[in-house]
Amino acid sequence: MTIRLSLLALLVCLLAPIAPSDATAADRLALVIGNAKYPDADAPLKEPVNDARSVAEELKRDGFTVDIGENLTADGMHKALERLYGRIKPGNVALIFFSGFGIQSNRQSFMIPVDAQIWTEADVRRDGISLETVLGEFNNRGAGVKIALIDASRRNPYERRFRSFSAGLAPVIAPNGSLVMYSAALSSVMSDNGGDHSLFVQELLKEIRVPDLMAEETLNRTRVGVTRASRSEQVPWISSSLAEDFSFIPGAKAVAALPQQPAAEPPPAQPSAPSKAEAPKSEPPKTEPPKTEPPKAELPKAEPPKAELPKVDTLPIPPPPAVRPNNEPPTPAPPALADDPTIKMLNQKIAENPDDSGALYRRGQVYASKGAYDFAIKDFGDTIRLNPKDVEAYNNRCWVRAVVGELQSALRDCNEALRLRPNFVDALDSRGLVNLKSGMTKNAIADFDAALKINPRLTSSLYGRGLARQRSGAVSDGEVDINNAKAMDPNIVKEFADYGVR
């Protein structure tokens, strides 16, 4: 009898289903980070800290062991990640949620700590935290399910310091068993809505609480909710290579996908260009949302740059009205600038070494980003005086002079930048702005064309070319460029308005 009972117990154990990866709380590990206080930004972000706290509480309810960090420096982020890596055991679930600024560089996405010192693209790779590296480490430690939820598709304060990188985030090359979601489409940026939570987190928290959904369906429903609520202006991106069922709610069983009520169908697409008053809307989500990014407006295809760039060394630009006398020094910096921590640090470096061209250039960039254009022009001029071959300083001074209307001087700076570095995409983009503001639409189109052949997703060149095409009479082609640019970056219209271009 004893033998029979033992055999029966053994049989029951053998036939019992193997516990899934989400069976116990100890198997679920999460790191949640909300970075809001970036010294280089004009003001703290309103959403990331609240988003991180709410996501952390929800994950705790779902059985995760959660480590939460707010306004973490690079050292703080690395230490938090090391703690997470050290807890992972084979078969665990490892999740990272990040809200803050993100930048793509060299086709990778980087989460940015609050103390990052970013002046060149190389600084992104030095100070940023690579998402691919984090997921790779999850995999190396044996995590069975690897999840990344990234709400970082924001216009960041470092953008005008180096202009050759693409906006938004890049597709991630993740190991098998990964589920990755960005709050917006690849290479696009969104503005914060000014509320307590981002639209992405609002929808995510709503869907995570729906019982009997697998994680992929939870995120697909989140994407549907964000797309509808934003009227297709924000469409999250998802990538999945999960090889097993996983649910945010422990014990959930896989069921057929719940039917989604389709959004109202838009009228059939017309062959003519969309109306100027309305940006194109992407196709509404279908009943069963796909696992990959929905189709976007068609963008220009990359081609190798032309051998010869447009020559505009002697453009007949009419002299603009003087912005300020050439020899008049700028007025004293406003107190808000003098108290800026980055400017304070650079002021100290320059006081210690007035010939520190790097500090002068960086201070010029900060002044330009804050609209103190006179100060920026002076610092870029001092940089060029110390290093007459500083192509970046020529390009940045060209751009600033274009913004304030010193178009003849701006053109000379851009031409010199392109002489020093042919095919320099940033200088082509800047010179396109000069030509656009000067009324030289054909030359503007030529410059923007050349820039877009090098970087087809350079939003400023795409929008600038659209305006130039409209002004030259190619209204339909111009509308296509403008609407594509607005789909990539909803803030592009305001950016050009700030340049004095409408």
Side-chain angles (χ1 to χ4, degrees):
M1 183 67 175
T2 304
I3 295 175
R4 286 182 182 176
L5 290 174
S6 298
L7 288 174
L8 180 60
L10 176 61
L11 184 60
V12 170
C13 291
L14 290 174
L15 293 178
I18 297 173
S21 61
D22 58 349
T24 65
D27 293 333
R28 297 167 159 241
L29 305 167
L31 172 60
V32 176
I33 299 173
N35 281 354
K37 295 182 179 179
Y38 291 86
D40 288 332
D42 292 333
L45 297 171
K46 294 182 178 179
E47 299 166 353
V49 171
N50 287 335
D51 286 345
R53 292 173 181 174
S54 296
V55 169
E57 288 303 313
E58 179 59 37
L59 292 175
K60 288 176 184 177
R61 281 193 291 269
D62 295 337
F64 281 82
T65 299
V66 180
D67 187 6
I68 183 171
E70 298 176 5
N71 297 313
L72 295 185
T73 63
D75 183 61
M77 287 183 69
H78 282 295
K79 286 180 178 177
L81 284 165
E82 288 299 329
R83 286 195 300 271
L84 177 59
Y85 297 153
R87 294 171 183 155
I88 296 174
K89 293 181 173 56
N92 282 176
V93 176
L95 180 150
I96 183 167
F97 171 89
F98 176 80
S99 181
F101 286 129
I103 299 177
Q104 68 161 291
S105 174
N106 197 27
R107 296 181 226 176
Q108 289 192 53
S109 293
F110 292 83
M111 300 171 285
I112 305 302
V114 295
D115 64 341
Q117 290 291 313
I118 296 175
W119 303 95
T120 67
E121 195 160 3
D123 295 338
V124 177
R125 297 186 287 275
R126 182 197 66 202
D127 287 356
I129 309 294
S130 165
L131 178 58
E132 287 187 5
T133 299
V134 171
L135 290 171
E137 193 62 34
F138 285 177
N139 193 58
N140 293 340
R141 301 295 177 118
V145 174
K146 299 158 279 285
I147 300 175
L149 305 174
I150 308 299
D151 191 1
S153 300
R154 296 177 170 92
R155 165 75 53 95
N156 64 70
Y158 316 107
E159 179 170 350
R160 282 299 175 188
R161 294 181 178 178
F162 57 103
R163 304 178 62 202
S164 59
F165 75 101
S166 298
L169 301 179
V172 63
I173 301 175
N176 289 335
S178 298
L179 182 58
V180 181
M181 186 172 194
Y182 295 160
S183 59
L186 301 175
S187 299
S188 65
V189 294
M190 301 304 302
S191 299
D192 282 1
N193 60 26
D196 292 335
H197 294 293
S198 70
L199 176 59
F200 171 68
V201 168
Q202 289 175 24
E203 295 297 324
L204 175 64
L205 293 175
K206 185 191 306 180
E207 299 301 338
I208 269 185
R209 293 161 188 163
V210 177
D212 294 328
L213 288 184
M214 293 301 101
E216 288 175 320
E217 183 62 16
T218 296
L219 298 191
N220 274 324
R221 290 169 62 120
T222 299
R223 177 170 59 187
V224 171
V226 171
T227 303
R228 288 176 178 164
S230 68
R231 297 184 178 182
S232 297
E233 291 183 3
Q234 181 177 351
V235 182
W237 178 84
I238 301 173
S239 174
S240 176
S241 62
L242 289 184
E244 59 182 284
D245 288 335
F246 170 76
S247 173
F248 288 103
I249 299 178
K253 300 183 183 298
V255 295
L258 297 180
Q260 299 286 325
Q261 293 296 324
E265 292 288 337
Q270 300 296 323
S272 59
S275 166
K276 292 183 182 180
E278 188 176 60
K281 297 181 180 179
S282 57
E283 184 180 350
K286 303 295 183 184
T287 301
E288 296 180 4
K291 294 180 182 178
T292 56
E293 182 186 0
K296 299 191 290 289
E298 183 178 354
L299 299 173
K301 296 181 179 179
E303 299 177 14
K306 294 182 179 179
E308 293 187 5
L309 298 175
K311 298 179 180 179
V312 290
D313 291 333
T314 57
L315 286 179
I317 300 178
V323 176
R324 57 179 168 79
N326 289 335
N327 296 323
E328 182 180 323
T331 55
L337 288 179
D339 292 337
D340 181 273
T342 303
I343 292 178
K344 276 185 174 180
M345 179 267 292
L346 292 170
N347 284 345
Q348 182 176 352
K349 293 185 69 173
I350 294 167
E352 294 170 356
N353 179 11
D355 291 338
D356 187 338
S357 61
L360 285 164
Y361 173 74
R362 292 178 180 183
R363 191 176 67 178
Q365 290 176 307
V366 178
Y367 280 143
S369 70
K370 296 181 179 298
Y373 297 126
D374 283 357
F375 293 97
I377 290 171
K378 182 178 185 306
D379 278 351
F380 292 139
D382 287 341
T383 304
I384 292 168
R385 174 179 55 80
L386 294 167
N387 180 9
K389 294 185 179 181
D390 192 324
V391 64
E392 300 282 355
Y394 276 113
N395 171 60
N396 278 276
R397 192 171 68 175
C398 169
W399 171 70
V400 175
R401 282 175 162 171
V403 171
V404 301
E406 297 179 358
L407 301 179
Q408 289 281 12
S409 299
L411 179 62
R412 287 194 295 270
D413 282 341
C414 275
N415 286 340
E416 182 62 15
L418 286 165
R419 186 189 70 80
L420 292 168
R421 186 187 298 175
N423 292 345
F424 183 20
V425 65
D426 296 349
L428 288 167
D429 182 65
S430 297
R431 194 170 69 181
L433 177 63
V434 175
N435 286 323
L436 185 63
K437 293 192 71 170
S438 302
M440 310 301 294
T441 54
K442 289 184 179 179
N443 286 327
I445 291 171
D447 280 333
F448 291 136
D449 274 342
L452 289 166
K453 286 184 184 300
I454 300 169
N455 181 0
R457 300 193 66 85
L458 189 58
T459 316
S460 53
S461 282
L462 190 59
Y463 187 80
R465 187 177 70 178
L467 293 177
R469 281 176 165 175
Q470 284 188 332
R471 294 178 184 182
S472 66
V475 177
S476 295
D477 289 342
E479 281 295 333
V480 172
D481 279 348
I482 288 171
N483 286 327
N484 281 334
K486 287 161 68 176
M488 293 163 60
D489 180 2
N491 298 312
I492 192 66
V493 178
K494 181 181 182 304
E495 178 178 324
F496 269 70
D498 292 341
Y499 301 161
V501 180
R502 291 177 174 81

